[in-house]
Amino acid sequence: MQSNWSQSAAETEGLTVEQAIANLQSPDLSLRYYAAWWLGKFRVNMPAAVEALIVALEDEADRTELGGYPLRRNAARALGKLGDTQAVPGLIRCLACEDYYVREAAAQSLGMLDAPAAILPLMELLTGGVEEAVPVPGRPHLTQPYDSVIEALGALQAKQAISLIQPFLEHPQAKVQYAATRAMYQLTQEDSYGQSLVKALEGNDLQLRRTALSDLGAIGYLPAREAIARCAVENSFKLLALKGLLEHQAKLHEAPTQDTIQVMTLMDSLL
Amino acid sequence: AAVQDLASAEVEAGISTLIAVLGYNNPTAAVAAVQGLIQIGSPAVQPLIEQLDDYNYGARAYAIRALAAIADPRALDILLASAATDFAPSVRRAAAKGLGALRWSELPTNERSTAQVKALETLELILQDADWSIRYAAIVGLQRLATTSELTSQIQGKFAQLLATEKDAAVRSRVQFAQAQLFSITSD
């Protein structure tokens, strides 16, 4: 596999790769937690790092007062960034973890990996439909990480999940609606879904405008380029969304096209 | 002469007001103030440099965008420092873009090439940054520097070298776009 991390940049941040991997087993739990984040941040996709992070998905030592597993969350997040499919079985097991945030991180990472084996386990988290997708009393989240699960199914091209995802277009929470809209676009390529995300760029809530921007970037919806550049959001978010459009085109065409040149011209204007 | 003094005093007060607006955390007003400062041009350069906000990186990014667009070479040192060491990526991106397109002809002939080489060295340095958006902005700066200076062939060589090492698809696309633009200019 191609190594995609920058050693010089990473090591200026205070750790070496060997230290970070060793720290995943440190008696000091905060060092374990930081090491997992660090390996993901700098995309250290060496086999030794991947193996150590997979072991950390089963960690029992690092617990919060409410029973959460902070190290598992960070390890799951990091493994999505490292692009090694050896992590898939461990991440699928995490979908059953009692900690909501471990399930959320695992769903997000499975969507980033080439993981067709994750489709059925992800679909199972949606089986109760919108009726069961309600807030957990006393917690700031729903029963499942619906938005992350739906986004992962879209990214994995899980066409068999279309009928399961479609009802979530009507979910009361906007971020779940957007996730369903984004996945439906990826699964059907129907323009109307892209257009509803473009419309969401004009909403009143800054956080939701940022979400819609990142959704448009994730699906590479080219007709949104002008609306993205105009949207009332910080330039760094717009640049990232336009980068998504550009990357999507770069997969289809080796050399720049008229479309990608327009996207880059917009990006240049946001620097 | 009195009227002239009064007019320039008003312009100065106006400049300070516009610079203050950059820090109000109101993007619409800040964008309008940047446009106003760009229209004022050269008289705004020294106040922009002196009143650069050390505490508010949002205000600093707008000020650097204004300096980059005015393109007065008196901003060279502040653009070099901002591109290389500011902690805020938005400030660094604006400075990198600005470094490519200063009006070098306004510098004395004996300083011109030294200044251009400084811009080149800083842009090459930040091409190694871990943040893709900084590398992207450095390429935009280099492309502009290639058209405004005598460093064209050096920069073309750098771009060819980059395509061999750069992994990010978006940054690669920007290098290819820069190469195509430079090719169409140099082959005219």
Side-chain angles (χ1 to χ4, degrees), chain A residues 130-160:
Chain A
V130 179
E131 294 71 32
E132 281 187 22
V134 294
V136 175
R139 296 292 186 92
H141 56 69
L142 304 174
T143 46
Q144 294 291 354
Y146 290 96
D147 51 344
S148 300
V149 170
I150 290 168
E151 285 173 12
L153 287 166
L156 294 172
Q157 282 300 314
K159 293 207 182 357
Q160 61 269 54

Side-chain angles (χ1 to χ4, degrees), chain A residues 167-185:
Chain A
F168 286 89
L169 292 166
E170 311 292 332
H171 191 276
Q173 283 192 3
K175 65 173 190 166
V176 179
Q177 285 170 26
Y178 293 2
T181 309
R182 158 177 165 170
M184 289 300 288
Y185 179 81

Side-chain angles (χ1 to χ4, degrees), chain A residues 2-4 9 42 235-236 239-240 243 246-247 250 254-256 261 263-265 267-271, chain B residues 65 90 93-94 97 128-130 132-133 136-137 140 143 167-177:
Chain A
Q2 194 180 48
S3 168
N4 60 356
F42 294 105
N235 283 6
S236 51
L239 279 172
L240 204 56
K243 179 182 199 262
L246 190 52
E247 283 172 345
E254 177 59 29
I261 288 170
V263 173
M264 288 188 274
T265 307
M267 289 172 77
D268 290 4
S269 74
L270 295 168
L271 297 174
Chain B
R65 280 189 202 119
S90 55
R93 290 191 294 260
K97 180 182 175 188
Q128 296 165 31
D129 202 273
W132 73 272
S133 74
Y136 184 102
V140 174
Q143 180 192 324
K167 303 257 172 22
D168 187 286
V171 179
R172 288 180 66 84
S173 295
R174 192 63 187 82
V175 176
Q176 291 173 316
F177 179 33

Side-chain angles (χ1 to χ4, degrees), chain B residues 7-80:
Chain B
S8 64
E10 272 182 30
V11 169
E12 269 172 44
I15 293 169
S16 281
T17 308
L18 288 174
I19 293 175
V21 171
L22 305 180
Y24 288 174
N25 195 22
N26 177 340
T28 316
V31 168
V34 169
Q35 284 311 314
L37 290 160
I38 294 171
Q39 272 168 20
I40 293 168
S42 283
V45 172
Q46 207 53 42
L48 273 166
I49 293 172
E50 282 164 14
Q51 293 169 49
L52 203 62
D53 193 329
D54 287 337
Y55 299 101
N56 180 340
Y57 68 86
R60 214 154 61 239
Y62 288 121
I64 295 292
R65 280 189 202 119
L67 286 170
I70 297 170
D72 187 310
R74 281 177 293 163
L76 175 66
D77 286 338
I78 198 80
L79 292 181
L80 289 169

Side-chain angles (χ1 to χ4, degrees), chain B residues 128-147:
Chain B
Q128 296 165 31
D129 202 273
D131 178 342
W132 73 272
S133 74
I134 302 292
R135 302 201 299 282
Y136 184 102
I139 291 156
V140 174
L142 283 170
Q143 180 192 324
R144 291 160 53 129
L145 186 61
T147 60

